[in-house]
Every structure is written in structure tokens, then in C-alpha cells.
Amino acid sequence: MSAALDLQESASMDMSSDRPAPGAILSVEDLTVSFDGFRAVDGLSLRVARDELRVIIGPNGAGKTTLLDIICGKTRPSSGRVMFQGRDLVRMVEFDIVRAGVGRKFQTPSVYEDLTVRENFEISLPNAHGVIRSLRFRRTAEIHGRIQAMAEQVFLAERLAEKAGRLSHGQKQWLEIGMLLMQNPQLLLLDEPVAGMSPREREQTAELLARISRGKSVVVIEHDMDFVKRIAHKVTVLHQGRLLSEGTVAEVQADPRVLDVYLGH
């Protein structure tokens, strides 16, 4: 698929600019990271547009999770840049990346199981962070309304008073997504969000991500190709830390290189 190769070459040519590509909220530019001599990400370049739902696929060890780790500041690259709305995330610490508008969800749900669903939403509010702010936090009508609206969006409106630990695995995934959304990120990074979900929960999650991407950019790592078909605006295929192919689901599935290293297996 020559279009994918042309895209990677053009991304490298644009590295002289400090601004993201037109229409792009995220621009990964010639990114490389090595662990003890092993290149987990190797000269990778890609762009994510505003209000785009991008899915990243590839075999185990392709560099998918490492890429998200770099974007959110958890891992530092050996070289390259990650431009987000005109700012290089590589030069920023994790907390400042979150404040800049990047939200990250890991594979395993991370919620406060001894607190109620409502309380989980409350502590996710930007004005509830920190000791001083938490002491000044008040449950206003506006906050109640915002939490109710978010609970409805993530299918938890009837569970607000329940302890998070009593939720199903899929519901905990939704809760964590809702907690991230309470912080109003402009870019949401999700690592295998439907792993362990029931078929019905997967359908609902597809609906949820479709709604989210109408006002935010979403990057999803996923292995379930049926789910990928339902949600992806565009698919990026990684292999050995490099961009192997990129395009629509149909284009990627028809690429013989993708069939050879991933889909065929």
C-alpha cells in the first residue's frame, strides 16, 4: 500500500515545523525508543485528525502500547517529537500532559472500588484535585447535573449510588472512561477498552466511542477486528515498531503485508 509509505515519508519531511499538520491534533514525528538495544518504536510517524477515531492494530510487540506510553509521558523516546496542538509532549511531564488535554486509559480498569460511582466521578473533576481543592469542593447543582449527564452517557445512570467494586468488568471500563471525560480531554488514548466485555457491552462501547469522537479525537489499541470495523475512521498497522500500513479498514484488510504479519495469523 504505497499511500501508507507516502504518508510516513511526508510526515518526516514536515519535521522542520513546530506546528502540527493542518487539521491534525496529534503529529508523531520520526519517533524512536530503545530498551537495552531493542527498538520498540523505530522511526514512526503518523497524524491523528481532530474528531477522528483512530484504531492502532498489530501483533504483540509491535510497539502499540509503547506509543501510547510516549504520548502520555510515561516513557521518554530516544528521538523524535510528539506534537499536540502546537506543543511537544516529549518535553513535558505526565501531569502537564494531562492538563494540556490528553487522557489515558490503560488495559486494566483503574477505579476507586470502595467509593460509589458518583464519588468516582466527583474526584475526577478538575476542581477536586489536590488537598486544598478537595477541602473546598462543594456538591453544587451544576456538579450534580454534570455527573448525572456523564453517568447516562456511559450507561451507569442507575448505578450512581453503588460501590464501584460491585460493577461488572465492562461497567468498570465505562466508569473509567467517564472519569477521564469529566476532565474534558481533547485527545483520549484507550488501550484495549473492550477486553473482557460481553458481546452486548462491546456493542454499547462502540456506540459510546462513536459519540465521544464527535467532539474529541480518540486513539484506540484493539485486537478484535469485528470491533475495529464498527468504530474505526482510520486504521494504523504497526509491525516491529514501524508503520506497516494505514487506511480504512477495507484498505488495511486488503494489504498483503498486513495479512502476512498479522491478520493471516
Side-chain angles (χ1 to χ4, degrees), residues 152-226:
E152 291 174 359
Q153 184 175 9
V154 298
F155 317 112
L156 295 174
E158 305 301 320
R159 305 277 185 158
L160 280 170
E162 286 190 32
K163 293 288 184 69
R166 298 184 61 184
L167 300 177
S168 70
H169 173 77
Q171 290 169 334
K172 289 177 183 177
Q173 299 275 43
W174 294 337
L175 175 56
E176 187 174 13
I177 292 173
M179 291 167 67
L180 288 174
L181 292 175
M182 293 296 286
Q183 301 172 37
N184 196 31
Q186 296 306 300
L187 174 66
L188 201 58
L189 310 175
L190 306 177
D191 199 342
E192 298 189 39
V194 296
M197 286 189 178
S198 68
R200 176 55 182 155
E201 287 174 335
R202 287 170 183 250
E203 291 177 7
Q204 291 175 286
T205 302
E207 296 169 9
L208 172 61
L209 297 185
R211 289 199 303 270
I212 293 172
S213 66
R214 293 181 191 130
K216 303 179 186 299
S217 299
V218 184
V219 176
V220 178
I221 291 176
E222 190 49 66
H223 289 288
D224 185 334
M225 286 306 297
D226 288 334

Side-chain angles (χ1 to χ4, degrees), residues 94 97 116 160 165 223 249:
E94 290 182 68
I97 291 173
T116 66
L160 280 170
H223 289 288
V249 173

Side-chain angles (χ1 to χ4, degrees), residues 22-113:
I25 192 171
L26 180 73
S27 182
V28 173
E29 303 172 352
D30 199 22
L31 205 62
T32 296
V33 62
S34 299
F35 301 113
D36 297 325
F38 169 71
R39 289 196 172 189
V41 175
D42 188 5
L44 177 64
S45 296
L46 62 87
R47 298 166 181 167
V48 176
R50 296 182 184 277
D51 299 345
E52 177 186 349
L53 203 165
R54 174 71 61 90
V55 178
I56 300 176
I57 65 173
N60 292 333
K64 304 182 298 296
T65 297
T66 301
L67 172 61
L68 297 198
D69 287 346
I70 295 171
I71 294 171
C72 75
K74 188 172 182 289
T75 297
R76 295 294 175 186
S78 308
S79 61
R81 304 191 309 177
V82 178
M83 302 302 296
F84 173 69
Q85 300 193 120
R87 304 175 68 182
D88 187 357
L89 300 184
V90 170
R91 300 178 182 179
M92 299 166 62
V93 297
E94 290 182 68
F95 179 74
D96 286 334
I97 291 173
V98 172
R99 294 182 64 180
V102 178
R104 167 78 183 275
K105 185 195 175 310
F106 294 85
Q107 292 182 22
T108 304
S110 178
V111 300
Y112 299 95
E113 297 201 351

